[in-house]
Amino acid sequence: MAEPDALSGMIREIIQRHSGMPTRLLQILRDVQDHLTWLSPEALERVAEELDISPVKVHSVAEFYSFLYTAPRGSYDILFSDNITDRMLGNRELLHYLCDRLGIGIGETRADGLVTVGTTSCTGMCDQGPAALVNGYALTRLDTARLDRIVELVNGQILLAQWPREFFEVVSNIRRADILLGRHFADGSALRAVLKRGPEAILEELVKSGLRGQGGAGFRSATKWISCRSAPGEVKYVVCNADEGEPGTFKDRVLMQDFADLVFEGMTLCGQVIGARQGFVYLRGEYRYLLDSLQATLQRRREAGLLGEAILDDPTFSFDIDIHLGAGAYVCGEESALIESLEGKHGVPRIRPPFPTTHGYLNKPTVVNNVETFASAAKIAVEGGAWFASRGTAESKGTKLLSLSGDCERPGIYEYPFGVTVQRVLEDCGAPDAQGIQMAGPAGHMISARQFNRRICFEDLATGGSFMVFNHQRDILDGIRNFTQFFVHESCGFCTPCRVGTSLMRDLVTKVHTGHGTRYDLEEMRKLGRIMRVACHCGLGQTAPNPVLDSLDQFPESWERRLRSTAFEPAFDLDAALEQARQLTGRSDPGAYLREEELMLGTMP
Amino acid sequence: MIEPKLKIATCSLAGCFGCHMSLLDLDERLFELAERVELDRSPLTDIKELGDCDLGLIEGGVCNAENVHVLMEFRARCKILVAIGACALSGGVPAMRNQYDLKDCLEESYLRGIGLVNPQIPNDPEIPLLLNQVHPLHEVVKIDYFLPGCPPSADAIWTFVNQLLSGQPLALPYTQIHYD
Ligand SMILES: Cc1cc2nc3c(=O)[nH]c(=O)nc-3n(C[C@H](O)[C@H](O)[C@H](O)COP(=O)(O)O)c2cc1C
Ligand code: SF4
Ligand code: SF4
Ligand code: FES
């Protein structure tokens, strides 16, 4: 632990590096934690003093994000990605194996303070799992051999920089390319197009292209840009949503890794069209490993005159991009929560309207688009709207990147024109034995084989890109239970229907999954789901019941074969709940037990 | 012909009797109620054996083995079972012990408490054993209706019981079930 003076010095230096801006609070806390492994009360106090903001504000941020720790943590902090696709690949066994070898329990820090092992939500490595993070850096393709090596590295206190490079190798697995991934793009060509033809002409192309938001909601991008361009105000912002928190999605990771120039070009183009001089990429913390190369790409673009002051030597064209790292909060993918987080606050969704296009970052007009949307926009500026619109369906133009994972032979990225059938995708990725698909992530839809002829497009099955395959050997309810736990973990806690509802739903699902439920519980799930859909403040809570409600319709037999024949079963084991008291009192008289036949009374109303 | 009176039973499990006090707050309306219903087992009658009833009103959550027995019996004997008050609906004040281990609760009360003579954790078979947590009623038996409040006001109880007994759809005015 740093001495008080050393602590102040370190914190002051970090804050200076971030120009003393309170909007960079989250970034500052991340950096402080990198030094200390956790955020001690003294450190938080010092940060508040140096930034001249209230300690309460600093605490609220430190406590909100999963990757910020307000209790001591091991110098090596290992978090296993715990999505259902990691589980399919055997991550739980590996997790227990590692914990055993290190001599700790899940979520514990070893007594010597050297190492902590826990779990986290999907880290976006679904096609190359089981995956984990060590001190925020992605580990892929874990197996026992790798874990044995990791135990040695940890116990030998080997610096992360000296760990074998291949442990951190992240491959792109592009399996099918179409117009976005398949065609060459000359850096700067979209920016030349906007300078030559002017913002109005580019907007016309964008309208013609029919491009819709690729983050999942499918809002028309041209409408968003036009609305922001015409919003009153001198200062405007462009924000690229690279939070990619939906379990099973990893296409934005591949775009940021292999096509960063295209994405940055789309953002810069947007800046010129709407009249913004500053852009931000909100990169999920799990993609920390990309940060240095992205910074280098930005620098190269500045040197090439594609970013910064007087882009392409035009003094009226200035735009720069800053990268903010998230810290493990799915809700920060929601655009208004993302903006809060960018402003250095905890990420609770705002009340909308007003929308970001008029009141976004620092309450200024802001365009928030998904990574893939910006990449498509750059292409459209060069190739034209008609070219883009020649692919896809009536209401869904162009192509869509799908992230395939789960039970298929060739997981990875597949680019298809909108309108492709689920069946076709399954054939291409090698999934002849599919029982069901979780489409668009836990917040999306679960479909069964009866629906494999449906088409992927906004008119039919909309998706942000997640496509998780379950084969016939899988228990659908394993997936559902995993998803309900995900939502419990990720609920930001702001509104009651979601904070409480996600936990109630998880408990009901667990009750049925473990063989203690009745038909009554299924009805309760439906009721609860209906309430959450209408009463939750943001999309997270509104969509959280989807996997449960969909599977009740699509896979009724998976639920029903677990039900008790009684009309009602208690939520917990009544007699077992007396065990502790029996032990504390040493009683074993008849009154110290709840016998089965007495309990049956209450199960038959 | 005189209509047979409907039978009502009430009881307090892990509650403070505040909900029953609210029932008594019906004041002169109690006479009107008595015209139409007959009280079976209830703290107000001191009848110990529960008979078959049309309606059971339960205050308080479930904190011990006896609570479980009584609740099961109510469920078995009452056609309609109603959870009344915050404790019955969600555990309420007694459930504040849920954040501590049962061992800590008992030791704090019986071993470490101030002014204890002959400290020991009571183990007389007469005393119901505690569950390790306090639970709302609906986690133990099926509950047909929930009447929130701490306690629900006499007016709310009156509206609810009247509508139920006369077979009207249940609809309580905002002011009777909201507290803002
Ligand atoms: C809980 C929640 C999480 C979200 N996560 C993401 C995300 O990770 N990436 C994303 O692009 N959009 C996400 N969105 C959608 C954004 O709010 C927003 O609609 C999107 O970034 C707009 O960009 P687009 O129009 O280009 O799709 C999320 C929405 C909700 C409600
Ligand atoms: S719905 Fe959930 S995530 Fe959204 S604001 Fe409410 S508590 Fe937060
Ligand atoms: S709900 Fe309130 S009044 Fe009723 S028993 Fe509980 S604490 Fe007492
Ligand atoms: S990283 Fe493992 S499933 Fe997403």
Side-chain angles (χ1 to χ4, degrees), chain B residues 38-110:
Chain B
E38 185 186 328
L39 274 185
D40 193 86
R41 172 177 167 165
S42 163
L44 311 178
T45 60
D46 221 20
I47 296 173
K48 304 282 192 249
E49 285 289 310
L50 179 63
D52 286 330
C53 290
D54 297 290
L55 178 61
L57 305 177
I58 301 194
E59 159 196 316
V62 184
C63 78
N64 63 27
E66 188 198 23
N67 290 165
V68 174
H69 282 296
V70 174
L71 182 57
M72 291 286 176
E73 208 185 342
F74 264 75
R75 179 67 275 181
R77 298 241 173 222
C78 300
K79 285 188 195 141
I80 294 174
L81 199 58
V82 184
I84 295 215
C87 299
L89 266 67
S90 62
V93 173
M96 287 172 77
R97 80 159 157 94
N98 287 0
Q99 58 186 308
Y100 305 101
D101 207 46
L102 180 60
K103 186 163 183 279
D104 291 335
C105 294
L106 288 173
E107 287 179 354
E108 184 63 30
S109 306
Y110 295 108

Coordinates of all heavy atoms in Angstrom, one line a residue, chain B residues 38-110:
Chain B
E38 N -69.7 -14.2 11.2 CA -69.4 -14.8 12.5 C -67.9 -15.0 12.7 O -67.3 -15.6 11.8 CB -70.2 -16.1 12.6 CG -70.2 -16.7 14.0 CD -70.8 -18.1 13.9 OE1 -71.8 -18.3 13.1 OE2 -70.4 -19.0 14.6
L39 N -67.4 -14.6 13.8 CA -65.9 -14.8 14.0 C -65.7 -16.2 14.5 O -66.3 -16.6 15.4 CB -65.4 -13.8 14.9 CG -65.0 -12.4 14.4 CD1 -64.3 -11.6 15.5 CD2 -64.0 -12.6 13.2
D40 N -64.7 -16.9 13.8 CA -64.3 -18.2 14.3 C -63.0 -17.9 15.1 O -62.9 -16.9 15.8 CB -64.0 -19.1 13.0 CG -63.9 -20.5 13.4 OD1 -64.9 -21.2 13.6 OD2 -62.7 -20.9 13.6
R41 N -62.0 -18.7 14.9 CA -60.7 -18.5 15.6 C -60.2 -17.1 15.3 O -60.0 -16.7 14.2 CB -59.7 -19.6 15.2 CG -58.3 -19.3 15.8 CD -57.3 -20.3 15.5 NE -56.0 -19.7 15.9 CZ -54.9 -20.4 16.0 NH1 -54.9 -21.7 15.8 NH2 -53.8 -19.8 16.4
S42 N -59.9 -16.4 16.4 CA -59.4 -15.0 16.3 C -58.9 -14.6 17.6 O -59.5 -15.0 18.6 CB -60.5 -14.1 15.7 OG -60.1 -12.8 15.9
P43 N -57.9 -13.7 17.7 CA -57.6 -13.1 19.0 C -58.7 -12.4 19.7 O -58.8 -12.2 20.9 CB -56.5 -12.1 18.7 CG -56.0 -12.4 17.3 CD -57.1 -13.1 16.6
L44 N -59.7 -12.0 18.9 CA -60.9 -11.3 19.4 C -61.9 -12.2 20.1 O -62.7 -11.8 20.9 CB -61.6 -10.5 18.3 CG -60.6 -9.7 17.4 CD1 -61.4 -8.9 16.4 CD2 -59.9 -8.6 18.3
T45 N -61.9 -13.5 19.7 CA -62.8 -14.4 20.3 C -62.2 -15.4 21.3 O -62.9 -16.0 22.1 CB -63.5 -15.3 19.2 OG1 -62.4 -16.1 18.6 CG2 -64.2 -14.5 18.2
D46 N -60.9 -15.6 21.2 CA -60.2 -16.6 22.0 C -60.6 -18.0 21.7 O -60.4 -18.9 22.5 CB -60.4 -16.3 23.5 CG -59.0 -16.5 24.2 OD1 -58.0 -16.5 23.5 OD2 -59.1 -16.7 25.4
I47 N -61.3 -18.2 20.5 CA -61.6 -19.6 20.1 C -60.2 -20.2 19.7 O -59.5 -19.6 18.9 CB -62.5 -19.7 18.9 CG1 -63.9 -19.1 19.4 CG2 -62.7 -21.1 18.4 CD1 -64.9 -19.0 18.2
K48 N -59.9 -21.4 20.2 CA -58.5 -22.0 19.9 C -58.5 -22.9 18.7 O -57.5 -23.0 18.0 CB -58.0 -22.8 21.1 CG -58.0 -22.0 22.4 CD -56.7 -21.1 22.4 CE -56.5 -20.5 23.8 NZ -56.8 -19.0 23.9
E49 N -59.6 -23.6 18.4 CA -59.7 -24.5 17.3 C -60.3 -23.9 16.1 O -61.4 -23.4 16.2 CB -60.5 -25.7 17.7 CG -59.9 -26.7 18.7 CD -58.8 -27.5 18.0 OE1 -59.0 -28.0 16.9 OE2 -57.6 -27.5 18.6
L50 N -59.6 -24.0 15.0 CA -60.1 -23.4 13.8 C -61.1 -24.3 13.1 O -60.9 -25.5 12.9 CB -58.9 -23.1 12.9 CG -59.2 -22.5 11.5 CD1 -59.8 -21.1 11.6 CD2 -57.9 -22.4 10.7
G51 N -62.3 -23.7 12.8 CA -63.3 -24.5 12.0 C -63.2 -24.2 10.5 O -62.3 -23.4 10.1
D52 N -64.1 -24.7 9.7 CA -64.1 -24.4 8.3 C -64.6 -22.9 8.1 O -65.7 -22.6 8.7 CB -65.0 -25.3 7.6 CG -64.3 -26.7 7.4 OD1 -63.1 -26.7 7.4 OD2 -65.0 -27.7 7.4
C53 N -63.9 -22.2 7.4 CA -64.3 -20.7 7.3 C -64.3 -20.3 5.8 O -63.8 -20.9 4.9 CB -63.2 -19.9 8.0 SG -63.2 -20.0 9.7
D54 N -65.1 -19.2 5.6 CA -65.1 -18.6 4.3 C -63.9 -17.8 4.0 O -63.4 -17.7 2.9 CB -66.4 -17.8 4.1 CG -67.6 -18.7 4.3 OD1 -67.9 -19.5 3.4 OD2 -68.3 -18.6 5.3
L55 N -63.5 -17.1 5.1 CA -62.4 -16.1 4.9 C -61.4 -16.1 6.0 O -61.9 -16.2 7.2 CB -63.1 -14.7 4.8 CG -62.2 -13.5 4.6 CD1 -61.4 -13.5 3.4 CD2 -63.1 -12.2 4.7
G56 N -60.1 -16.1 5.7 CA -59.1 -16.0 6.7 C -58.3 -14.8 6.5 O -57.9 -14.5 5.4
L57 N -58.1 -14.0 7.6 CA -57.3 -12.8 7.5 C -56.0 -13.0 8.3 O -56.1 -13.3 9.5 CB -58.0 -11.6 8.0 CG -59.4 -11.3 7.4 CD1 -60.0 -10.1 8.1 CD2 -59.3 -11.0 5.9
I58 N -54.8 -12.9 7.7 CA -53.6 -13.1 8.5 C -52.7 -11.9 8.5 O -52.4 -11.3 7.5 CB -52.9 -14.3 7.9 CG1 -53.8 -15.5 8.0 CG2 -51.6 -14.6 8.7 CD1 -53.2 -16.8 7.8
E59 N -52.3 -11.6 9.7 CA -51.4 -10.5 9.9 C -50.0 -11.1 10.3 O -50.0 -12.2 10.9 CB -51.9 -9.6 11.1 CG -50.8 -8.8 11.8 CD -51.1 -8.3 13.2 OE1 -52.3 -7.8 13.4 OE2 -50.3 -8.4 14.1
G60 N -48.9 -10.5 9.8 CA -47.6 -11.0 10.2 C -47.0 -12.0 9.3 O -47.8 -12.7 8.6
G61 N -45.7 -12.1 9.3 CA -45.0 -13.1 8.4 C -44.8 -14.4 9.2 O -45.4 -14.6 10.2
V62 N -44.0 -15.2 8.6 CA -43.7 -16.6 9.1 C -42.3 -16.6 9.7 O -41.3 -16.5 8.9 CB -43.9 -17.6 8.0 CG1 -43.7 -19.0 8.6 CG2 -45.2 -17.5 7.4
C63 N -42.2 -16.7 11.0 CA -40.8 -16.7 11.6 C -40.5 -18.0 12.3 O -39.3 -18.2 12.6 CB -40.7 -15.5 12.6 SG -41.4 -15.7 14.2
N64 N -41.5 -18.8 12.7 CA -41.1 -20.0 13.4 C -42.0 -21.2 13.0 O -42.9 -21.1 12.2 CB -41.2 -19.8 14.9 CG -42.6 -19.4 15.4 OD1 -43.6 -19.8 14.8 ND2 -42.7 -18.6 16.4
A65 N -41.7 -22.4 13.6 CA -42.4 -23.6 13.2 C -43.9 -23.5 13.5 O -44.7 -24.0 12.8 CB -41.8 -24.8 14.0
E66 N -44.2 -22.8 14.6 CA -45.7 -22.7 15.0 C -46.4 -21.9 13.9 O -47.5 -22.2 13.5 CB -45.8 -22.1 16.3 CG -47.3 -22.1 16.8 CD -47.6 -21.2 17.9 OE1 -46.9 -20.2 18.1 OE2 -48.6 -21.4 18.6
N67 N -45.8 -20.8 13.5 CA -46.4 -20.0 12.4 C -46.7 -20.9 11.2 O -47.7 -20.7 10.6 CB -45.4 -18.9 12.0 CG -45.2 -17.8 13.0 OD1 -44.3 -17.0 12.9 ND2 -46.1 -17.7 14.0
V68 N -45.7 -21.7 10.9 CA -45.9 -22.6 9.7 C -47.2 -23.5 9.9 O -48.0 -23.5 9.0 CB -44.7 -23.5 9.4 CG1 -45.0 -24.5 8.3 CG2 -43.5 -22.6 9.1
H69 N -47.3 -24.1 11.1 CA -48.4 -24.9 11.4 C -49.7 -24.2 11.3 O -50.7 -24.6 10.6 CB -48.3 -25.5 12.8 CG -47.3 -26.7 12.8 ND1 -47.5 -27.9 12.2 CD2 -46.2 -26.8 13.5 CE1 -46.5 -28.7 12.4 NE2 -45.7 -28.1 13.2
V70 N -49.8 -23.0 11.9 CA -51.0 -22.2 12.0 C -51.4 -21.8 10.5 O -52.6 -21.9 10.1 CB -50.9 -21.0 12.9 CG1 -52.1 -20.1 12.8 CG2 -50.6 -21.4 14.3
L71 N -50.4 -21.4 9.8 CA -50.7 -20.9 8.4 C -51.2 -22.1 7.6 O -52.2 -21.9 6.8 CB -49.4 -20.3 7.8 CG -49.6 -19.7 6.4 CD1 -50.6 -18.6 6.4 CD2 -48.2 -19.1 6.0
M72 N -50.6 -23.2 7.7 CA -51.0 -24.4 6.9 C -52.5 -24.7 7.3 O -53.3 -25.1 6.4 CB -50.2 -25.6 7.3 CG -48.7 -25.5 6.8 SD -48.7 -25.8 5.0 CE -46.9 -25.5 4.7
E73 N -52.8 -24.6 8.5 CA -54.2 -25.0 9.0 C -55.1 -24.0 8.4 O -56.2 -24.3 7.9 CB -54.2 -25.0 10.5 CG -55.3 -25.9 11.0 CD -55.4 -25.8 12.5 OE1 -54.4 -25.3 13.2 OE2 -56.4 -26.2 13.1
F74 N -54.8 -22.7 8.5 CA -55.6 -21.7 7.9 C -55.9 -21.9 6.4 O -57.0 -21.8 5.9 CB -55.0 -20.3 8.1 CG -55.6 -19.6 9.3 CD1 -55.2 -20.0 10.6 CD2 -56.5 -18.5 9.2 CE1 -55.7 -19.3 11.7 CE2 -57.0 -17.9 10.3 CZ -56.6 -18.3 11.5
R75 N -54.8 -22.3 5.7 CA -54.9 -22.5 4.3 C -55.9 -23.7 4.0 O -56.7 -23.7 3.1 CB -53.5 -22.8 3.7 CG -53.5 -23.1 2.2 CD -53.9 -22.0 1.3 NE -55.3 -21.8 1.1 CZ -55.9 -20.8 0.4 NH1 -55.1 -19.9 -0.2 NH2 -57.2 -20.7 0.2
A76 N -55.8 -24.7 4.9 CA -56.6 -25.9 4.7 C -58.1 -25.6 5.0 O -58.9 -26.2 4.4 CB -56.0 -27.1 5.5
R77 N -58.3 -24.7 5.9 CA -59.7 -24.5 6.4 C -60.4 -23.3 5.8 O -61.6 -23.2 5.9 CB -59.7 -24.4 7.9 CG -59.1 -25.6 8.7 CD -60.2 -26.1 9.6 NE -59.8 -27.4 10.2 CZ -60.6 -28.4 10.3 NH1 -61.8 -28.3 9.9 NH2 -60.2 -29.5 10.9
C78 N -59.7 -22.4 5.3 CA -60.3 -21.2 4.8 C -60.4 -21.2 3.2 O -59.5 -21.5 2.5 CB -59.5 -19.9 5.1 SG -59.3 -19.7 6.9
K79 N -61.6 -20.9 2.8 CA -61.8 -20.9 1.3 C -61.0 -19.8 0.7 O -60.3 -20.0 -0.3 CB -63.3 -20.6 1.0 CG -64.2 -21.8 1.2 CD -65.6 -21.5 0.6 CE -66.5 -22.5 1.2 NZ -67.8 -21.9 1.5
I80 N -61.0 -18.6 1.3 CA -60.2 -17.5 0.8 C -59.2 -17.0 1.9 O -59.6 -16.8 3.0 CB -61.1 -16.3 0.4 CG1 -62.0 -16.7 -0.8 CG2 -60.3 -15.1 0.0 CD1 -63.0 -15.7 -1.1
L81 N -57.9 -16.9 1.5 CA -56.9 -16.5 2.5 C -56.3 -15.2 2.1 O -55.9 -15.1 0.9 CB -55.9 -17.6 2.6 CG -55.0 -17.6 3.9 CD1 -55.9 -17.7 5.1 CD2 -54.0 -18.8 3.8
V82 N -56.3 -14.3 3.0 CA -55.8 -12.9 2.7 C -54.6 -12.6 3.6 O -54.7 -12.7 4.8 CB -56.9 -11.9 2.9 CG1 -56.5 -10.5 2.5 CG2 -58.2 -12.3 2.2
A83 N -53.6 -12.0 3.0 CA -52.4 -11.5 3.7 C -52.7 -10.0 4.0 O -52.9 -9.3 3.1 CB -51.1 -11.7 2.9
I84 N -52.6 -9.7 5.3 CA -52.9 -8.3 5.6 C -51.7 -7.6 6.2 O -51.1 -8.1 7.2 CB -54.1 -8.3 6.6 CG1 -55.3 -8.8 5.9 CG2 -54.3 -6.9 7.2 CD1 -56.6 -8.1 6.4
G85 N -51.3 -6.5 5.7 CA -50.2 -5.7 6.2 C -48.8 -6.1 5.7 O -48.6 -7.2 5.2
A86 N -47.9 -5.1 5.9 CA -46.6 -5.3 5.3 C -45.9 -6.5 5.8 O -45.1 -7.2 5.0 CB -45.7 -4.0 5.7
C87 N -46.0 -6.9 7.0 CA -45.3 -8.1 7.6 C -45.8 -9.3 6.8 O -45.0 -10.2 6.5 CB -45.6 -8.2 9.0 SG -45.0 -6.8 10.0
A88 N -47.1 -9.5 6.6 CA -47.6 -10.6 5.9 C -47.2 -10.6 4.4 O -46.9 -11.7 3.9 CB -49.1 -10.7 6.0
L89 N -47.1 -9.4 3.9 CA -46.8 -9.3 2.4 C -45.3 -9.5 2.1 O -45.0 -10.1 1.1 CB -47.2 -8.0 1.9 CG -48.6 -7.9 1.3 CD1 -49.7 -8.1 2.3 CD2 -48.8 -6.6 0.6
S90 N -44.5 -9.0 3.1 CA -43.1 -9.0 2.7 C -42.1 -9.4 3.9 O -40.9 -9.3 3.7 CB -42.6 -7.7 2.1 OG -42.8 -6.7 3.1
G91 N -42.7 -9.7 5.0 CA -41.9 -10.0 6.2 C -41.8 -8.9 7.1 O -41.7 -9.0 8.3
G92 N -41.8 -7.6 6.6 CA -41.8 -6.4 7.4 C -40.7 -6.3 8.4 O -39.6 -6.8 8.2
V93 N -41.1 -5.7 9.5 CA -40.1 -5.4 10.5 C -39.4 -6.7 11.1 O -38.2 -6.7 11.1 CB -40.7 -4.6 11.7 CG1 -39.7 -4.4 12.8 CG2 -41.1 -3.2 11.2
P94 N -40.1 -7.7 11.4 CA -39.4 -8.9 11.9 C -38.4 -9.4 10.9 O -37.4 -10.0 11.3 CB -40.6 -9.9 12.1 CG -41.8 -9.1 12.2 CD -41.6 -7.9 11.4
A95 N -38.6 -9.2 9.6 CA -37.7 -9.8 8.6 C -36.4 -9.0 8.6 O -35.4 -9.3 7.8 CB -38.3 -9.8 7.2
M96 N -36.3 -7.9 9.3 CA -35.0 -7.2 9.4 C -33.9 -8.0 10.0 O -32.7 -7.8 9.8 CB -35.2 -5.9 10.2 CG -36.0 -4.8 9.4 SD -36.4 -3.4 10.4 CE -34.8 -2.6 10.4
R97 N -34.3 -9.1 10.7 CA -33.3 -10.0 11.2 C -32.7 -10.9 10.1 O -31.6 -11.5 10.3 CB -33.8 -10.9 12.3 CG -34.6 -12.1 11.9 CD -34.7 -13.1 13.0 NE -35.7 -14.1 13.0 CZ -35.7 -15.3 12.4 NH1 -34.6 -15.7 11.8 NH2 -36.7 -16.1 12.6
N98 N -33.3 -10.9 8.9 CA -32.8 -11.7 7.8 C -31.4 -11.4 7.4 O -30.7 -12.2 6.8 CB -33.7 -11.7 6.6 CG -35.1 -12.4 6.9 OD1 -35.3 -13.0 8.0 ND2 -35.9 -12.4 5.9
Q99 N -31.0 -10.2 7.6 CA -29.6 -9.9 7.1 C -28.6 -10.4 8.1 O -27.4 -10.3 7.9 CB -29.5 -8.4 6.9 CG -29.8 -7.5 8.1 CD -29.8 -6.1 7.8 OE1 -28.8 -5.6 7.3 NE2 -30.9 -5.4 8.2
Y100 N -29.0 -10.9 9.3 CA -28.0 -11.5 10.2 C -28.3 -13.0 10.3 O -29.3 -13.5 10.0 CB -28.2 -10.9 11.6 CG -28.1 -9.4 11.6 CD1 -29.3 -8.6 11.7 CD2 -26.9 -8.8 11.5 CE1 -29.2 -7.3 11.7 CE2 -26.8 -7.4 11.5 CZ -27.9 -6.7 11.6 OH -27.8 -5.3 11.6
D101 N -27.2 -13.7 10.6 CA -27.3 -15.1 10.9 C -28.2 -15.3 12.1 O -28.1 -14.6 13.1 CB -25.9 -15.6 11.1 CG -25.7 -17.0 10.7 OD1 -26.2 -17.4 9.6 OD2 -25.2 -17.8 11.5
L102 N -29.0 -16.4 12.1 CA -29.8 -16.7 13.2 C -29.0 -16.9 14.5 O -29.4 -16.4 15.6 CB -30.6 -18.0 13.0 CG -31.5 -18.5 14.1 CD1 -32.6 -17.5 14.4 CD2 -32.2 -19.8 13.7
K103 N -27.8 -17.5 14.3 CA -26.9 -17.6 15.5 C -26.6 -16.3 16.1 O -26.6 -16.1 17.4 CB -25.6 -18.3 15.0 CG -24.6 -18.7 16.0 CD -23.6 -19.7 15.4 CE -22.6 -20.2 16.5 NZ -21.5 -19.3 16.7
D104 N -26.2 -15.3 15.3 CA -25.9 -14.0 15.8 C -27.1 -13.4 16.5 O -27.0 -12.7 17.6 CB -25.4 -13.1 14.7 CG -24.1 -13.5 14.2 OD1 -23.4 -14.1 14.9 OD2 -23.8 -13.2 13.0
C105 N -28.3 -13.6 15.9 CA -29.5 -13.0 16.5 C -29.7 -13.6 17.9 O -30.0 -12.9 18.9 CB -30.7 -13.3 15.7 SG -30.7 -12.5 14.1
L106 N -29.7 -14.9 18.0 CA -30.0 -15.6 19.3 C -28.9 -15.2 20.3 O -29.2 -15.0 21.5 CB -30.1 -17.1 19.1 CG -31.3 -17.5 18.4 CD1 -31.3 -19.0 18.1 CD2 -32.6 -17.2 19.2
E107 N -27.6 -15.2 19.9 CA -26.6 -14.9 20.8 C -26.6 -13.5 21.3 O -26.4 -13.2 22.5 CB -25.2 -15.2 20.2 CG -25.0 -16.7 20.0 CD -23.6 -17.1 19.4 OE1 -22.9 -16.1 18.9 OE2 -23.3 -18.3 19.4
E108 N -27.0 -12.6 20.4 CA -27.1 -11.2 20.8 C -28.2 -11.0 21.9 O -28.1 -10.3 22.8 CB -27.4 -10.3 19.6 CG -27.5 -8.8 19.8 CD -26.2 -8.2 20.3 OE1 -25.1 -8.8 19.9 OE2 -26.2 -7.3 21.0
S109 N -29.3 -11.8 21.7 CA -30.4 -11.6 22.6 C -30.2 -12.4 23.9 O -30.6 -11.9 25.0 CB -31.7 -12.2 22.0 OG -32.0 -11.6 20.8
Y110 N -29.7 -13.6 23.8 CA -29.7 -14.5 25.0 C -28.3 -14.7 25.6 O -28.2 -15.2 26.7 CB -30.3 -15.8 24.6 CG -31.8 -15.7 24.3 CD1 -32.2 -15.8 22.9 CD2 -32.7 -15.4 25.2 CE1 -33.5 -15.7 22.6 CE2 -34.1 -15.2 24.9 CZ -34.5 -15.4 23.6 OH -35.8 -15.2 23.2

